[in-house]
Amino acid sequence: MIKNVLIIITFSIATVHAQTVLEYYNIGKKAYNAGNYNDALKYYEKSADIFRNNNDKGNYSALLVEIGRVYSSLGQYNKAIEYFHDSLIINKALGQKLNIAACLNDIGLAYRSLGQYDKSIEYFNKSFDLVNKSGGDKVSVAACYFNLGLVYYSWGHYDKSLEYSNKAFTLVSDFGDKATIASVSSGIGRIYYALGQYNKAIGFFNNSLSINEELGRHGSIAGNLSDIGAVYRMFRQYGSAVDYFKKALTINEELGQKENIATSLNNIGSIYYEWGQYEKAYDYIKKALDFNEKSGSKDAMIVNLTNIGCIFHSLKKYDKSINYLKRSIDVIEELRLTAPGDIKREYISKQIYSYQWLVSSYIHNNDVISAMNTIELSSSKYLIDQLGERLKEKRIQYVDIKDYNKKISSDTVVISFSNAGTELGIATILIDNKDIVAVETDEKSFIKSITGKYSNRISQENIKQRGLKIQAVIEKQHDKRKITASDFNGIINYYHHLLSQPRLDKQEFDAYKYIASELYNLLLKKFEKQLVGKKELIILPGGIFSIIPFETLIMSDGSYLIEKYYIKYAQSLTVMDIIGKRKYSNLRSPMIAFGGATYDKINYKKNIVETEQQLADLIKETNLVSNRGDSMRNAYFSLGFGKWENLPGTLTEVKAIKLLIPDVNLITGQDVDESFIKILSKTGKLKNYKAIHFATHGIVVPEIPELSAIVLSQYNNERNGEDGYLRMQEIAALDINADFVNLSACETGLGKIYGGEGVVGLTQAFLLAGANGLSVSLWQVADNSTMEFMIGVYQKVIDKELSYHRAIAEMKREYIHSSKYNKPFFWAPFVYYGK
């Protein structure tokens, strides 16, 4: 990390002690830079005593900071904070604004090490404000940027962390000394490591190492060695990795850096874990845990506790595994609350493997109820928080499966899927009103079977995937998988691609049928006895399974799953429970339907995003513009969107609905307007409809989920200050009381997949706005077939008095047995979430 350089020793004492104090300080500084912290502490304290006795408050406050930094390096963060606070009080009395900023920064660093990220970022922001107002030097500004980046790194918000760190790097490259450049280089390398970009990471690590070796900064050298060893570990070059880790340990032990000793011990233990030497792995990591528990380094404790949990899991000592993993999750839950807003979902995504290992441990320990409760605890947490805010409830009570299964009807079964694509295997839990069954399925044979036949096609189709991004979760501490999550995700992506094509050649069609059958065999065949007599499946898809319709799986008799069961989806049981308790008046009008929007040919010149840096810049610009509430058209044009074709079929669609439901409020043409919808919401009129139908363009931006939107009427000149894109944030702010929202548009069910949270996109936004159920699509749909499908759904709701999800299922069955629309492309994209 960058240590603040604002506080300077002036040595203005006009006494015989001046030469002595200078010598003490220089000896202490040299010892500190060399990592000899106990010697540094001794000489700094001697200097401080002289300053205090001579009532030299300025220099005394500076030495307090230096001493505090030594205690931070020794892992004694609370003691360090005491010194920083004492210095802060003196500098406030002296009116030294830049020194105040330095103290605030150091306090922020200490709180970050303690895992108190909310306090940490509070102090960093105060420091940054003072530095800017006081005209601080460029290196001090860089320190503020870099330290803000550290907090976002800890929260798992790597894009934001990289943004701040790159700003710091630009400044220190021009104005900083070599030591500072080395520190920033190391920090950026860790971000790239967390993002899985290991070649970039090792480049920054080596750059930092060469500088630190030149300067003789032994403590920093040890950090570089640890970082490089971590990259070799991810390359599965375990021998090289352990050599680097042991070199780092030797240096850290010589310097007495307890926190870094703990890091080295953990890293060495992780290699013994890879080698299957579990007892040795435990010895190393338990020592690391003991260090970190004493210092209160909570981030490091999570790593140690989880790793020990994994060791006992591998030893099949599941009681012990559960104990350590639960302790890890207790700390995760505590630190999660320090993150603001949607960064909470980034943090859980970063830590999701701890929950996954606990689920597996419970299943192996025959504690199915605890396994399911753990899945609930880690699922859609941010969505649940937001639903709680809308309900004005400070804390939502998570569903306890012991109580919930009593609510399930006798013909219904809930099926939860989790841990797909991990070394643990897929955790599948079936819940009905009488029983709860759990199985962990190893998908390696499935992966080998599919990749053996279609590896070339899978790799080709996964280069570009519209409407989907998976938030990577890097298992830094344990990655002994020969078959990785990307292999499994690649197959699911390929399956989604095959489904989304209106025309398949024979090889592609054979591939689709083979994968559909193998997926059924993998996920459901073993439960056929439990499914006897069931009519309805409620699927909690979890992660990558969110992008495929289970309706398309082919059963043993050759029929589709949808032909036997009604199917609907949910993010979690808790989300279902919250929605299930929402009751709306029966006095509402039947429907409001939007269709036939006007899409002018807008001429607009904007550079298209082509590089990672341009995307990062766009994300930054988008956040700023969004916070101001300004138009987002620039962002959409930069991403290659903006020239929207008119959809005549949507006008035909909503007019046909009007014929079917005469009381429908039909909104067409220029009236399909963003400001009009917002006015309806603000005046409470949008709450007066049981159903809301959107027949428009839709857009999903997985790189920037907040840009996912319903595309309404567009004009060369924006109207009423609106850009025509009803975005996620704007949708969530609507006030609706709808039993059903139908998004008859393309890819409205896709988005960015976060570990734990699931797909973040339009589905979640409408649930927050008040929808109790909605139909979304998983790929680009055909105009005519969609129109006929949606009209048929409403016809069945009216004529047969079916629920919406059952009406959707009946239409799918009709399409399957038709000659015109029997391909999954036409009937399978529409999935139902909600009641």
Side-chain angles (χ1 to χ4, degrees):
M1 65 185 71
I2 303 178
K3 292 293 186 185
N4 221 309
V5 294
L6 298 171
I7 293 179
I8 300 171
I9 308 295
T10 57
F11 303 109
S12 57
I13 305 174
T15 70
V16 293
H17 296 296
Q19 184 62 35
T20 303
V21 75
L22 178 60
E23 290 175 357
Y24 285 157
Y25 175 78
N26 285 337
I27 294 171
K29 192 68 177 176
K30 186 176 180 181
Y32 178 78
N33 287 336
N36 299 320
Y37 299 122
N38 290 322
D39 285 347
L41 201 58
K42 179 171 67 175
Y43 285 99
Y44 278 162
E45 285 174 342
K46 287 182 178 181
S47 298
D49 287 341
I50 295 172
F51 286 132
R52 185 181 64 252
N53 293 333
N54 284 274
N55 201 31
D56 186 345
K57 294 181 179 179
N59 282 324
Y60 177 58
S61 69
L63 258 298
L64 291 175
V65 170
E66 297 286 3
I67 293 168
R69 290 174 181 171
V70 177
Y71 278 116
S72 281
S73 297
L74 289 168
Q76 298 180 46
Y77 304 113
N78 286 310
K79 197 160 187 175
I81 289 170
E82 291 176 13
Y83 278 90
F84 296 145
H85 268 299
D86 288 345
S87 179
L88 180 64
I89 291 168
I90 296 171
N91 281 303
K92 282 182 177 179
L94 296 174
Q96 298 291 324
K97 291 184 179 179
L98 289 179
N99 288 351
I100 293 169
C103 292
L104 293 169
N105 226 356
D106 279 308
I107 293 169
L109 287 168
Y111 276 124
R112 176 187 173 268
S113 295
L114 288 169
Q116 298 182 42
Y117 305 129
D118 47 353
K119 282 189 176 182
S120 177
I121 206 162
E122 176 189 336
Y123 279 96
F124 286 153
N125 280 325
K126 286 178 180 178
S127 175
F128 203 2
D129 288 344
L130 271 177
V131 169
N132 283 330
K133 289 176 183 176
S134 306
D137 63 274
K138 300 292 185 182
V139 176
S140 297
V141 174
C144 293
Y145 278 135
F146 188 73
N147 291 335
L148 284 168
L150 287 175
V151 179
Y152 285 105
Y153 175 87
S154 296
W155 277 329
H157 199 326
Y158 301 127
D159 291 338
K160 192 82 170 175
S161 178
L162 190 60
E163 176 191 330
Y164 279 117
S165 299
N166 280 332
K167 285 181 179 179
F169 191 72
T170 299
L171 289 172
V172 299
S173 296
D174 292 336
F175 302 101
D177 58 13
K178 287 185 176 181
T180 306
I181 292 170
S183 295
V184 180
S185 293
S186 178
I188 292 175
R190 287 171 187 163
I191 299 169
Y192 280 120
Y193 176 85
L195 290 167
Q197 299 181 39
Y198 304 122
N199 288 318
K200 278 189 177 180
I202 205 167
F204 279 97
F205 293 151
N206 281 323
N207 179 53
S208 180
L209 177 61
S210 63
I211 295 172
N212 287 322
E213 287 178 334
E214 177 189 339
L215 299 177
R217 300 174 73 218
H218 299 293
S220 298
I221 290 169
N224 296 144
L225 293 171
S226 290
D227 290 333
I228 293 169
V231 175
Y232 278 114
R233 182 183 177 282
M234 297 310 292
F235 288 153
R236 297 195 179 93
Q237 297 180 30
Y238 300 129
S240 297
V242 81
D243 287 343
Y244 276 98
F245 291 152
K246 286 184 175 180
K247 287 177 184 176
L249 177 61
T250 299
I251 296 172
N252 288 324
E253 286 178 333
E254 289 172 356
L255 299 178
Q257 299 185 63
K258 292 185 178 180
E259 182 180 11
N260 293 338
I261 290 170
T263 298
S264 297
L265 290 169
N266 177 81
N267 291 342
I268 294 169
S270 73
I271 299 301
Y272 283 112
Y273 175 81
E274 301 291 354
W275 284 332
Q277 298 181 39
Y278 301 127
E279 300 294 343
K280 267 193 173 182
Y282 172 79
D283 289 341
Y284 276 100
I285 299 173
K286 183 61 168 63
K287 288 177 184 176
L289 177 61
D290 292 341
F291 272 121
N292 289 320
E293 285 182 325
K294 288 176 184 176
S295 69
S297 184
K298 293 181 180 178
D299 252 350
M301 286 168 57
I302 291 169
V303 172
N304 303 149
L305 289 165
T306 300
N307 284 349
I308 294 173
C310 296
I311 291 169
F312 283 119
H313 184 286
S314 298
L315 289 168
K316 299 183 179 180
K317 297 180 179 180
Y318 299 115
D319 285 332
K320 288 188 175 182
S321 175
I322 289 166
N323 175 46
Y324 280 97
L325 292 167
K326 283 178 68 177
R327 288 170 60 191
S328 174
I329 288 170
D330 286 343
V331 182
I332 291 169
E333 292 290 326
E334 177 187 342
L335 297 191
R336 172 184 170 272
L337 297 177
T338 69
D342 59 0
I343 295 175
K344 286 185 174 72
R345 72 189 179 207
E346 305 271 359
Y347 182 69
I348 287 297
S349 184
K350 172 188 171 186
Q351 305 289 0
I352 194 64
Y353 54 82
S354 298
Y355 297 86
Q356 292 171 337
W357 281 82
L358 182 56
V359 168
S360 178
S361 296
Y362 276 131
I363 290 175
H364 283 284
N365 215 37
N366 297 314
D367 188 350
V368 182
I369 289 174
S370 294
M372 189 63 210
N373 286 338
T374 301
I375 292 171
E376 279 297 302
L377 182 64
S378 63
S379 298
S380 304
K381 293 178 76 71
Y382 183 55
L383 174 60
I384 291 166
D385 287 345
Q386 290 176 299
L387 286 167
E389 288 173 12
R390 288 294 288 256
L391 294 170
K392 294 183 172 56
E393 294 184 16
K394 289 185 178 180
R395 180 167 293 186
I396 292 287
Q397 187 68 39
Y398 282 80
V399 161
D400 188 326
I401 194 61
K402 287 186 295 186
D403 300 322
Y404 191 86
N405 74 321
K406 298 170 187 175
K407 303 177 184 179
I408 300 173
S409 63
S410 59
D411 66 348
T412 301
V413 62
V414 176
I415 310 178
S416 167
F417 296 97
S418 60
N419 295 6
T422 70
E423 63 186 280
L424 297 165
I426 301 168
T428 308
I429 300 180
L430 268 72
I431 310 157
D432 63 20
N433 63 340
K434 294 180 180 178
D435 202 7
I436 305 173
V437 179
V439 173
E440 192 171 81
T441 306
D442 187 343
E443 67 266 43
K444 291 185 178 65
S445 60
F446 166 82
I447 293 172
K448 288 178 181 177
S449 172
I450 305 300
T451 54
K453 285 176 172 286
Y454 308 112
S455 59
N456 289 335
R457 287 178 176 264
I458 291 170
S459 60
Q460 289 170 11
E461 296 302 339
N462 280 316
I463 294 172
K464 291 183 179 180
Q465 273 285 330
R466 283 180 52 96
L468 174 66
K469 183 176 181 180
I470 302 169
Q471 179 75 349
V473 178
I474 305 300
E475 296 194 19
K476 299 179 189 176
Q477 295 75 36
H478 36 265
D479 184 11
K480 67 178 183 179
R481 296 166 293 175
K482 301 299 185 227
I483 293 174
T484 67
S486 60
D487 296 320
F488 188 80
N489 292 343
I491 293 171
I492 300 301
N493 282 335
Y494 180 54
Y495 184 64
H496 176 270
H497 164 77
L498 293 173
L499 291 170
S500 66
Q501 301 305 303
R503 294 180 182 83
L504 298 175
D505 62 32
K506 185 179 184 305
Q507 283 186 319
E508 288 173 326
F509 187 67
D510 288 344
Y512 154 68
K513 288 197 301 180
Y514 183 77
I515 297 173
S517 298
E518 289 300 301
L519 272 173
Y520 175 81
N521 292 338
L522 176 73
L523 301 176
L524 293 173
K525 186 177 177 62
K526 64 180 72 65
F527 300 112
E528 285 179 342
K529 289 183 179 179
Q530 285 86 357
L531 294 177
V532 171
K534 305 299 181 184
K535 294 180 180 179
E536 185 158 296
L537 308 183
I538 301 173
I539 294 175
L540 314 180
I544 191 67
F545 287 137
S546 302
I547 72 167
I548 60 168
F550 279 70
E551 290 90 331
T552 59
L553 302 190
I554 297 176
M555 298 185 293
S556 303
D557 62 4
S559 61
Y560 293 108
L561 194 66
I562 190 61
E563 294 183 81
K564 188 171 184 179
Y565 304 102
Y566 296 108
I567 297 174
K568 62 181 178 180
Y569 299 83
Q571 288 82 1
S572 73
L573 294 179
T574 303
V575 172
M576 283 184 66
D577 192 54
I578 294 169
I579 294 170
K581 291 175 181 176
R582 294 197 297 213
K583 306 296 180 184
Y584 299 141
S585 170
N586 286 324
L587 300 177
R588 295 163 293 157
S589 299
M591 179 187 294
I592 184 170
F594 300 91
T598 300
Y599 299 109
D600 286 350
K601 301 291 186 187
I602 300 174
N603 296 315
Y604 196 91
K605 291 185 178 180
K606 184 75 177 175
N607 292 331
I608 302 298
V609 169
E610 294 178 342
T611 67
E612 286 185 18
Q613 185 56 53
Q614 288 173 335
L615 179 60
D617 292 341
L618 178 62
I619 292 171
K620 175 187 171 185
E621 179 187 345
T622 299
N623 289 334
L624 290 172
V625 173
S626 178
N627 290 335
R628 293 197 304 264
D630 293 343
S631 170
M632 288 289 192
R633 277 197 180 177
N634 283 4
Y636 289 111
F637 279 106
S638 296
L639 290 166
F641 299 104
K643 293 184 178 180
W644 301 100
E645 299 292 335
N646 286 326
L647 296 172
T650 63
L651 183 59
T652 305
E653 182 178 325
V654 294
K655 284 183 175 179
I657 293 171
K658 175 72 173 177
L659 291 174
L660 194 63
I661 310 171
D663 291 338
V664 68
N665 185 4
L666 189 61
I667 311 297
T668 62
Q670 295 184 3
D671 291 333
V672 184
D673 180 80
E674 185 178 359
S675 61
F676 177 65
I677 292 173
K678 289 180 177 178
I679 289 169
L680 287 176
S681 177
K682 287 176 183 177
T683 58
K685 294 179 180 178
L686 202 57
K687 293 199 300 184
N688 294 334
Y689 297 98
K690 295 178 179 178
I692 303 175
H693 185 97
F694 288 97
T696 65
H697 282 295
I699 180 174
V700 172
V701 186
E703 298 83 1
I704 315 174
E706 290 74 16
L707 285 180
S708 298
I710 295 171
V711 187
L712 304 172
S713 289
Q714 300 277 305
Y715 314 101
N716 274 313
N717 298 316
E718 295 180 6
R719 297 187 178 184
N720 302 315
E722 302 291 356
D723 54 24
Y725 295 92
L726 191 62
R727 302 188 310 277
M728 265 186 64
Q729 186 178 2
E730 295 170 317
I731 292 167
L734 296 176
D735 197 3
I736 65 178
N737 284 356
D739 300 322
F740 181 63
V741 173
N742 195 341
L743 302 184
S744 182
C746 297
E747 300 180 326
T748 50
L750 297 181
K752 187 172 181 178
I753 300 178
Y754 290 84
E757 194 66 26
V759 173
V760 173
L762 300 180
T763 305
Q764 290 191 345
F766 273 104
L767 290 175
L768 281 171
N772 281 342
L774 69 158
S775 171
V776 293
S777 61
L778 297 179
W779 53 81
Q780 295 187 64
V781 295
D783 207 6
N784 288 333
S785 63
T786 298
M787 175 187 67
E788 293 179 31
F789 188 94
M790 296 307 171
I791 294 168
V793 168
Y794 292 123
Q795 185 78 59
K796 292 184 184 304
V797 170
I798 294 168
D799 292 348
K800 295 185 177 182
E801 297 184 350
L802 294 176
S803 62
Y804 282 102
H805 82 277
R806 291 201 170 193
I808 290 170
E810 291 289 352
M811 276 307 301
K812 290 180 178 181
R813 292 168 183 176
E814 280 192 18
Y815 267 37
I816 288 169
H817 295 287
S818 72
S819 58
K820 189 177 181 181
Y821 297 133
N822 57 6
K823 294 178 181 175
F825 168 78
F826 295 108
W827 56 263
F830 312 109
V831 294
Y832 179 93
Y833 276 82
K835 278 189 181 180

